[in-house]
Amino acid sequence: MSKKQATIQDIARELKITASTVSRALNDHPKISKKTKDKVWKTAHELNYQPNTVASNLRKGKGNTVGMIVPRINRHFFSNVITGVESVLNPAGYNLIICQSEEKYQKEVENVETLISNRVSGILISLSIETLNTKHLQKIINSQIPLVMFDRTESKLNISQVVNDDEAGAYEMTCHLLEQGYRDIMWMGGPRTSSIYHNRYLGYKRALEEYKVPIEKMHCFEGPSTLVAALEYMRIFLKNNKLPDVVFATSDYMAMGTIQALQEAGLQVPKDVAVAGYSNEPFAALIDPKLTTIEQFSEEMGRATARLLLDQLLSETDEPVPRKIIIKPKLIIRETTRKRKKSNTFIKK
Amino acid sequence: MSKKQATIQDIARELKITASTVSRALNDHPKISKKTKDKVWKTAHELNYQPNTVASNLRKGKGNTVGMIVPRINRHFFSNVITGVESVLNPAGYNLIICQSEEKYQKEVENVETLISNRVSGILISLSIETLNTKHLQKIINSQIPLVMFDRTESKLNISQVVNDDEAGAYEMTCHLLEQGYRDIMWMGGPRTSSIYHNRYLGYKRALEEYKVPIEKMHCFEGPSTLVAALEYMRIFLKNNKLPDVVFATSDYMAMGTIQALQEAGLQVPKDVAVAGYSNEPFAALIDPKLTTIEQFSEEMGRATARLLLDQLLSETDEPVPRKIIIKPKLIIRETTRKRKKSNTFIKK
DNA sequence: AAAATAAATGCAAACGTTTGCATTGTTTAA
DNA sequence: TTAAACAATGCAAACGTTTGCATTTATTTT
């Protein structure tokens, strides 16, 4: 139909008024008469006018888009954080542009540059597993763009952040395992260069120390936080080592891989070896036996992160004081860590 | 550090040359001498220059962002499609801005308007469950923005699209069930106003007709495609009806709800009632017994969708011929539809 | 009825790039 | 040596809005 998008000028020409009046009318400026507003609205509609946000943003020197960088979108945890973020940003009039770093440092740097170039109003980021330095974050700060980190953060930078209390989560889980009577507790997780796995290890360690269980004897596996990595590692491990009482996998996917390896080896969970996970992925409650794990309240994390950003966006002070919000995770005890043997067949009512 | 973002002008001033030269230098224009290019690059770096994409886009009348509207980001299927889309769009120099309609028509309309206002280069969309009319899509077309629909599409509009062959998937699944000897096959799915469930019903019907099994006697449940909806429905259903041979849930979540209801009632899967799903969600292979379902090749769908869009973006013809790509799904036979009884305990090797 | 006030609109510059065309300086051909 | 050709850069307008200030028109006050 329309060859070119209609502009404010087209409306002005049509109505024999000036572009400024049209602009003000469209923005419901109080000094424009009801009559012209109505006319403007009418012809805007007739001409199929769609405001040009990019022109508007350029002129105003700001926009309403915030950028969000996550390692992967298809992790339950992150997609829920995103949902939480949108639930507070959208009502506040902001749109979200989502970028995936795919756990690559290089990609993360590129994402940052794109967002800066697009002059987003703010940036939310959870660091990739590879990210060890923070030059790119410094760029954001230099560009005066409000920044909030979440989940996988870098504490050296003095930036607002919201994190899970991974130390506490791992501590609670380990205590639970110890109370069940397990002593030989194998730890498994992603690279401890990442804050989350580092802290999940610390919590584990603290619990062991409290219970005076020597940590030196424990087996640990640090590798990619995936089902197959755990599966392959455990296949070999089970051939060469004596069985631990329980495997504490600090990721549900690794827990799943562990369970599969145990099953392949003809072992029963939790009778022969117990297993615990972390994150409460949707499948955790669906598998049999049901997986004991840690709930992270990911949506709440998203909301908190977004609120922290909004604070910075709304307060006009140049140097807002950085805040840190810590979300307490919750231990969810299900079947894979039950001390007493239980039937693995379907429950009869 | 820098109070304001440096602009091309700042670089020009510093070097006592003109902004146009700087612009050309930054874009590696052949007519600019190596010497000035080097100087420009150097001071750009010193001044911490970040190009202003929004100004650039405004001037050029185009950008490198494409918008994507999905019902929800935290569905395995969609997040995988997104991954597929990015894997072809990013190398081509495009960024993705993702919007969620949350299955609401109103939200979808707003998303469309935002994307048009932001003058995205193209739009990819999968319709919300509520979406029954396509005025908003017409707006996109009127705005001359290339559009590709995927998965949940509207065939009346003459637009490029890539869909799963849901009819074939449901047909194959139903045939599989019939071959296993099941005759009383209950169908379950989301609202059939949505193309996908409509087609999944059609395939089911065709298979029954071919096998001369009267469809009139079958029970059907059409409701929200969620675990709880299926669970609640089945709880009541099981109290008042004779058991079907198998429940064909055209969504894995509904299959899961069905299984839980059956288990609550003390029934065994697949011994007492078999169950089939659709989508091959990650948990399908993880639950016990493992769920028979349909693989949809979601990432491939994303790649195909993105390629269709790229075609339109690159070809300068105003009216590209709309293309339709149909992706064949694959039947994945696992345990929940095994005719012979099998132990539900862990497999001993 | 003139002056003062208020209400509505117009003018023009600006946001940071890009780009066709003009200009300058430099080299080559005749 | 001069004209022609080329290489490198400058000039200025444009993209579609927004906005401070000036101007016009309508309304009220004296």
Side-chain angles (χ1 to χ4, degrees), chain A residues 217-228:
Chain A
K217 293 183 187 166
M218 304 296 176
H219 286 278
C220 279
F221 169 54
E222 198 178 322
S225 169
T226 63
L227 191 151
V228 292

Side-chain angles (χ1 to χ4, degrees), chain A residues 8-9 20 23-24 49 52 59:
Chain A
I8 260 183
Q9 317 266 5
S20 10
S23 170
R24 283 189 258 252
Y49 171 77
N52 186 328
R59 172 60 230 247

